[in-house]
Amino acid sequence: MEANYKKFVNIGYSTTASQNATTFESANRDTALAVARAARNVDGLSTIVYMSASDVLPVLNARYISTKREVEDDLLAHKDQMRPIIMRPGLVYSSARLATLPVAAGVSVFNALYHRTPLGCILKNTPLSKVASPAVHRETVARAIVSAIDNPEIAGILGPADIERIGGVRG
């Protein structure tokens, strides 16, 4: 079964080493586009949820974000066939991924300083202003996905603040 899945999504099932390499393009774009194409052909399936990414952390590879955006563009271009719900969280953290906890704490401290001190004015027009986006707990993302699916009025791109609102975080 796994071999059939890998043939379908075209990640690393080839026999040659050069074709075996998993890239941002194959992992983020090509796989998601293959799933989206297949989903559009399933009778009765009217909604697709895509876990994209916000470009809030300056350390993210530009190709990682650009391949995510290519999938978003495809989903939005076919919104007449299927309602796209595109989740664009910033940093997603949980106790199951311990390395994310100190980063989330740092993002929270930065947010507090950015929004409550002159630091925000100083950094407003710099790439660091994007970091002033909230880190989101994975359970909040999960609740937001379920809530968005249940609400036919919700479609398109949902950023970190939307995810917190829909996922039940009080602001």
Side-chain angles (χ1 to χ4, degrees):
M1 178 150 152
E2 184 175 347
N4 289 337
Y5 163 77
K6 287 182 178 179
K7 282 182 197 176
F8 174 72
V9 297
N10 209 14
I11 292 183
Y13 188 72
S14 169
T15 56
T16 65
S18 65
Q19 290 176 323
N20 251 344
T22 300
T23 64
F24 288 120
E25 289 77 13
S26 67
N28 287 329
R29 183 193 60 213
D30 300 347
T31 301
L33 291 174
V35 170
R37 277 192 298 275
R40 286 192 284 268
N41 292 318
V42 175
D43 290 335
L45 192 58
S46 62
T47 302
I48 188 165
V49 176
Y50 177 62
M51 183 59 69
S52 189
S54 182
D55 61 348
V56 298
L57 297 175
V59 296
L60 290 176
N61 185 302
R63 283 178 43 230
Y64 175 76
I65 294 299
S66 68
T67 56
K68 295 280 192 181
R69 297 301 177 263
E70 288 179 56
V71 176
E72 291 177 10
D73 291 344
D74 177 79
L75 294 174
L76 293 169
H78 292 92
K79 65 184 176 186
D80 59 322
Q81 294 175 283
M82 185 172 280
R83 176 175 61 120
I85 298 171
I86 300 167
M87 307 303 280
R88 261 195 203 172
L91 174 71
V92 178
Y93 69 94
S94 79
S95 59
R97 293 175 56 210
L98 292 177
T100 62
L101 297 177
V103 179
V107 168
S108 294
V109 169
F110 181 82
N111 273 312
L113 293 171
Y114 185 88
H115 292 290
R116 295 184 180 111
T117 70
L119 184 64
C121 293
I122 295 166
L123 297 177
K124 181 170 61 173
N125 294 317
T126 72
L128 287 176
S129 65
K130 291 181 178 183
V131 181
S133 177
V136 185
H137 193 276
R138 74 175 182 178
E139 297 298 323
T140 303
V141 175
R143 282 192 306 272
I145 290 170
V146 172
S147 294
I149 291 169
D150 285 345
N151 184 342
E153 300 296 313
I154 297 176
I157 297 169
L158 303 174
D162 301 314
I163 293 168
E164 283 191 331
R165 179 179 45 79
I166 295 167
V169 173
R170 306 288 181 237

